[in-house]
Amino acid sequence: MANTKHHIDNTLILLQEYLKGNIHPTTDRELRMLFQQYPDLRIMVEKLENADHLRQELEYYSVHVKDIEKRESRVLSNIMTKIEKPSLKKTTSYKKLPLWYTAAACFIGLAIFGIWTIKSKDHNNNIDVTKLAENLHPGGNKATLHFSDGSSLGLDQSHNGIVIGSSITYNDGSVALGSSTDKRQMMTLSTPRGGQYEIQLSDGTKVWLNASTSLKYPDKFTEQQRLVELDGEAFFEVAKSQGRPFIVITAKEKIEVLGTHFNVYSYPNEKESKVSLKEGKVKVSVPTGEEKVLAPGEQAVVNGENLRVQQVSIDESISWTNDEFMFNNEPLGTVLTQVARWYDIDIDIDPSLSKITLWGSVSRLDTFDKVLKIIKMTDDKIKIQIEGRRVKLMK
């Protein structure tokens, strides 16, 4: 990490000196090589108002990225795809490039992911929108526990999860609800828009619930199987229990496992449902009887009666569990559905903008203005209007 930071600092100094007018590509070999490798970098750098913003953005990057080396590789791969001329044949693997080129790619990624200081004709309007967006705060630990008798318990937001046992405790051991009766009962843990929560079930299985999600489960599983019902998105770490399969039922599919880590994205009002496997093996089936067995790194996609399997980046599929949004050429309409759910806001988007692809990353712990950065960097002609908790995107 220290060595990586050293190279990033060297690149930072190089670009700062260029912005100050102290060096030029015609006289500085290192700068010339950098701009030759990334032709669009020079244009992006010149859009900065001053050199100090380079340091500010790199500091932001180091705070919010938990695994900088993985991110560097991912950013560099995306950058090479985006800015290299289509006519040039790619013969060099990004893993073999000098680390200072990787650092340069990190900077390009920062320019695309979040530099606010780009000059534009409607600069004053952007300031007003930015201030409004800063007031739209991200979600947090919010959930309610519902019981089969109709009663409910609002869970403490200062905790991030509960444990189901002879009593219901928070994950620090403090009591949420005293011991229950011996009679098996069904419970439902639900998160609102702008909420998330964790739960450890009676068999030791851990589940992380994303916003606007509900998980229905018994306080004690049977000896034959462990069955839960899900609406929304959740990440599962299933505890192994020989001879007792763990089954997740959604409105669109059935998932059977013995012990594994996987993510389920299945909101009733969305066309596609996705099951992404991190570890182990799962079987996904749909009502028509079709079924697929997934290996790590694969994702089952259900759309209507169709079931298909594709290779995915698991880091991207479960980025929300690491408090991060990651978008890899995803349609803007799809992205904003996830964003609106987390920030508990309503977003209206011009239909002509819905298929614009977005790629980038932003912390889910940031206010909404950081998300707007990525959108504006994708297409600076998009007009944004904010009224209370309603956001409009127009051409």
Side-chain angles (χ1 to χ4, degrees):
M1 182 70 72
N3 189 43
T4 299
K5 185 179 185 301
H6 172 72
H7 284 280
I8 290 177
D9 284 343
N10 285 348
T11 304
L12 169 66
I13 294 170
L14 188 70
L15 295 174
Q16 283 179 327
E17 290 302 304
Y18 169 63
L19 283 172
K20 292 175 182 177
N22 296 334
I23 60 175
H24 194 272
T26 57
T27 57
D28 188 280
R29 179 177 177 274
E30 191 174 6
L31 182 63
R32 183 168 64 254
M33 291 176 62
L34 179 63
F35 286 159
Q36 286 175 350
Q37 182 70 19
Y38 301 105
D40 285 358
L41 175 58
R42 184 172 181 174
I43 298 172
M44 291 180 180
V45 172
E46 288 175 347
K47 288 183 178 180
L48 293 173
E49 289 181 347
N50 61 66
D52 291 339
H53 287 123
L54 287 170
R55 167 66 65 183
Q56 177 183 344
E57 293 304 324
L58 282 179
E59 288 177 351
Y60 173 85
Y61 182 78
S62 64
V63 168
H64 290 286
V65 176
K66 297 182 178 180
D67 191 343
I68 191 168
E69 293 181 354
K70 287 184 179 179
R71 177 61 60 78
E72 286 172 357
S73 296
R74 200 157 52 231
V75 168
L76 182 54
S77 180
N78 280 332
I79 289 299
M80 291 184 70
T81 301
K82 292 284 182 182
I83 69 175
E84 286 190 350
K85 295 180 180 179
S87 59
L88 295 178
K89 184 178 180 181
K90 301 176 184 178
T91 58
T92 304
S93 168
Y94 67 84
K95 293 182 180 179
K96 296 180 181 179
L97 289 174
L99 189 54
W100 71 278
Y101 278 164
T102 303
C106 287
F107 170 73
I108 302 173
L110 287 171
I112 293 175
F113 295 165
I115 295 178
W116 278 96
T117 55
I118 289 182
K119 300 176 182 177
S120 62
K121 294 180 181 179
D122 57 347
H123 182 65
N124 292 331
N125 290 336
N126 284 343
I127 292 176
D128 293 337
V129 170
T130 299
K131 289 182 178 179
L132 291 173
E134 288 174 351
N135 294 324
L136 299 177
H137 297 282
N141 299 322
K142 304 172 189 175
T144 303
L145 193 57
H146 304 270
F147 302 95
S148 54
D149 62 3
S151 61
S152 61
L153 172 67
L155 297 175
D156 193 334
Q157 296 183 24
S158 65
H159 296 84
N160 61 6
I162 56 174
V163 178
I164 305 300
S166 57
S167 61
I168 300 174
T169 62
Y170 291 107
N171 48 17
D172 66 351
S174 59
V175 176
L177 186 67
S179 59
S180 58
T181 63
D182 292 334
K183 182 179 179 181
R184 182 174 288 109
Q185 65 170 319
M186 298 299 295
M187 292 184 280
T188 301
L189 179 65
S190 65
T191 56
R193 285 165 57 92
Q196 64 180 10
Y197 225 74
E198 302 173 15
I199 182 172
Q200 179 173 309
L201 301 175
S202 60
D203 66 333
T205 292
K206 296 180 180 179
V207 188
W208 286 259
L209 278 66
N210 204 347
S212 193
T213 297
S214 65
L215 180 74
K216 187 176 182 179
Y217 60 92
D219 58 351
K220 296 177 183 178
F221 288 112
T222 67
E223 295 182 359
Q224 290 75 37
Q225 67 178 15
R226 299 168 290 167
L227 189 146
V228 300
E229 298 176 26
L230 176 74
D231 279 334
E233 182 172 22
F235 181 76
F236 293 80
E237 287 188 359
V238 177
K240 292 184 178 180
S241 182
Q242 191 65 34
R244 280 204 308 169
F246 191 96
I247 300 173
V248 182
I249 301 293
T250 77
K252 300 171 184 175
E253 67 261 294
K254 175 181 178 183
I255 304 141
E256 299 180 58
V257 302
L258 287 175
T260 188
H261 299 178
F262 61 99
N263 191 80
V264 181
Y265 182 96
S266 185
Y267 286 93
N269 59 342
E270 294 188 29
K271 290 183 178 180
E272 286 191 340
S273 179
K274 301 174 183 178
V275 180
S276 308
L277 183 61
K278 181 179 181 182
E279 294 180 16
K281 184 181 293 186
V282 302
K283 181 172 69 175
V284 180
S285 57
V286 293
T288 59
E290 185 178 5
E291 60 185 38
K292 301 285 186 181
V293 176
L294 301 185
E298 292 184 334
Q299 181 183 77
V301 181
V302 178
N303 190 333
E305 296 183 351
N306 298 319
L307 171 62
R308 60 185 172 87
V309 175
Q310 62 187 16
Q311 294 287 330
V312 295
S313 167
I314 294 300
D315 286 344
E316 293 173 4
S317 298
I318 65 173
S319 61
W320 69 272
T321 65
N322 294 317
D323 295 323
E324 187 177 20
F325 284 115
M326 289 181 64
F327 308 121
N328 186 359
N329 290 326
E330 293 188 47
L332 184 58
T334 301
V335 167
L336 293 181
T337 297
Q338 300 174 40
V339 168
R341 188 181 294 125
W342 176 240
Y343 286 92
D344 189 16
I345 57 179
D346 295 316
I347 301 180
D348 298 328
I349 178 172
D350 188 311
S352 63
L353 300 175
S354 62
K355 292 186 179 181
I356 291 177
T357 56
L358 196 70
W359 68 277
S361 173
V362 64
S363 171
R364 279 168 42 112
L365 304 180
D366 283 329
T367 49
F368 183 63
D369 55 304
K370 302 301 188 300
V371 177
L372 291 186
K373 289 180 183 181
I374 298 179
I375 296 173
K376 290 294 288 182
M377 290 300 296
T378 301
D379 185 345
D380 60 5
K381 294 182 180 179
I382 295 177
K383 294 180 174 61
I384 301 171
Q385 185 179 37
I386 299 178
E387 298 176 357
R389 302 196 70 81
R390 180 173 292 278
V391 179
K392 295 182 179 180
L393 273 69
M394 304 161 286
K395 292 196 73 173

